[in-house]
Amino acid sequence: MPPPLNSPLVSVVVPVFQNATSLADLHERLRQVTAGRPEARWEFVFVDDGSTDRSLAVLEDLQRLDGRIRIVRLSRNFGSQAAIVAGWSQARGDAMAVIAADLQDPPEILVPLVAAWQQGAKAVLAVRSRRDDPWPAKLGAALFYAFFRRLALAGMPVGGFDCCLLDRQLVERLVALRRPCYLAGEIIWLGFEPVLISYNRGKRLARYGRSMWTLGKRMRLAADAIWTFSRAPLRIVQAIGLLLSLLAVAGALLSLFAFSPAHRDRNLLLAAITGFSGLQLLATSWVGSSVWACQQSLLDRPAFVIDRVIEADVQNRRAA
């Protein structure tokens, strides 16, 4: 029996990039999880982030079987962060969940996420109690989140999060940002006392191919996250510049009074070079601080461009 029409609508947003091999399995798991749950109605918003494999064709085939599927096709690859915001902008739900397309985030986590939302939580975050990733990936993630909590947002969960469910009120604020750089940081920055639900992040199965989430993309996102939410890197550079300048002054004084005339000129030259290097770092960091502040307020380019939105036909929508 389908849920009543007055039941809340939950949108599940899935960013898709080269995931043709996992989409059918993901849809089947989503179908099983949401079947016979009268507490909510569901829609599945798949965002094709410029895939060049058969992802779009597979999604169109699935849409013919399930009228709850909406497909958002972006004009090119903009990255998973932009794809999520694009899905939010097109979703109709009263609450919106985000889940990975490769099934490392188990669709079954949606049940406790929705339950916490229906109990009044505005933001429900699925945090990883364990992750079946290679040790370099786990070490890199641990270091990043430790630095991010220390330098930027102390409220970030220890292991971070990607999968979550947000009330529409929060989603509308995030979409209005136009170019959110690091969505997990933006969600924590909003506040609203998020509810945390633990889960075990699974291993990516070999039949789904290699992940498109490369080391380079991880490092760029980490750098953007730190620079967006913290001025600590600028302050570190300022401290180094100031230290070098003080060392240069001390070296110059030491050269004048403690060394023989034969070494005085060389030491004074070294002190001058060190001092000017420190001054350059100070000046560059001050300019960087100004550019950082202006960049935050002047970025006005859209984070994504939607090519088209593919709706299920009326017959399939009624049958879902």
Side-chain angles (χ1 to χ4, degrees):
M1 178 181 295
L5 293 177
N6 60 352
S7 298
L9 177 64
V10 176
S11 300
V12 181
V13 175
V14 185
V16 175
F17 182 59
Q18 314 292 61
N19 294 116
T21 54
S22 66
L23 291 174
D25 290 347
L26 172 61
H27 173 257
E28 177 60 22
R29 292 271 293 277
L30 288 172
R31 189 191 64 78
Q32 292 176 3
V33 168
T34 59
R37 307 200 69 86
E39 68 272 17
R41 294 174 295 127
W42 300 83
E43 72 167 357
F44 309 132
V45 182
F46 290 88
V47 184
D48 182 9
D49 188 22
S51 300
T52 57
D53 63 355
R54 295 192 65 257
S55 292
L56 181 61
V58 172
L59 289 174
E60 289 176 328
D61 290 341
L62 292 173
Q63 190 181 57
R64 295 185 187 99
L65 302 174
D66 189 343
R68 297 173 297 177
I69 291 178
R70 303 182 73 210
I71 305 170
V72 180
R73 169 77 172 178
L74 301 187
S75 62
R76 64 170 177 83
N77 177 243
F78 288 90
S80 61
Q81 304 283 297
I84 292 169
V85 180
W88 283 343
S89 72
Q90 299 300 312
R92 307 186 183 100
D94 303 295
M96 303 184 195
V98 176
I99 197 167
D102 59 7
L103 287 167
Q104 286 190 270
D105 298 329
E108 290 74 17
I109 193 65
L110 293 171
V111 176
L113 294 182
V114 172
W117 170 68
Q118 290 184 320
Q119 292 171 7
K122 295 286 187 181
V124 192
L125 313 180
V127 297
R128 312 174 189 96
S129 58
R130 182 173 61 85
R131 51 191 302 161
D132 296 330
D133 291 330
W135 73 263
K138 290 193 283 190
L139 177 61
L143 290 174
F144 165 71
Y145 287 116
F147 278 109
F148 191 81
R149 284 167 53 85
R150 175 65 178 171
L151 300 178
L153 296 174
M156 175 65 69
V158 174
F161 69 95
D162 293 311
C163 178
C164 62
L165 183 140
L166 306 177
D167 187 84
R168 187 174 189 89
Q169 176 189 0
L170 272 67
V171 171
E172 289 175 348
R173 297 188 182 190
L174 292 170
V175 172
L177 293 176
R178 287 182 61 81
R179 290 186 64 83
C181 172
Y182 179 48
L183 287 175
E186 304 286 3
I187 292 169
I188 296 299
W189 179 85
L190 285 175
F192 291 97
E193 297 184 9
V195 172
L196 307 183
I197 294 179
S198 298
Y199 77 105
N200 294 332
R201 187 172 189 265
K203 184 178 180 180
R204 184 186 179 96
L205 299 181
R207 69 173 182 268
Y208 297 150
R210 66 182 182 87
S211 173
M212 295 292 104
W213 189 233
T214 62
L215 177 61
K217 291 181 178 180
R218 294 171 190 264
M219 294 180 66
R220 284 195 295 272
L221 180 62
D224 289 344
I226 295 294
W227 281 100
T228 300
F229 287 95
S230 175
R231 292 189 180 182
L234 296 174
R235 290 170 179 161
I236 291 172
V237 173
Q238 288 176 340
I240 293 173
L242 181 60
L243 177 62
L244 288 176
S245 299
L246 293 176
L247 288 175
V249 173
L253 293 174
L254 191 62
S255 297
L256 288 174
F257 299 105
F259 289 96
S260 65
H263 299 95
R264 186 173 298 162
D265 292 342
R266 182 193 64 185
N267 292 330
L268 285 173
L269 178 61
L270 289 174
I273 292 173
T274 303
F276 281 118
S277 298
L279 290 174
Q280 286 177 338
L281 279 174
L282 278 173
T284 303
S285 64
W286 287 331
V287 172
S289 297
S290 301
V291 172
W292 182 86
C294 293
Q295 180 253 0
Q296 299 304 302
S297 60
L298 294 180
L299 281 179
D300 197 35
R301 222 170 30 209
F304 55 87
V305 177
I306 294 177
D307 178 17
R308 62 189 184 275
V309 177
I310 305 173
E311 302 277 4
D313 62 47
V314 175
Q315 182 178 358
N316 282 349
R317 194 180 303 121
R318 288 176 177 171

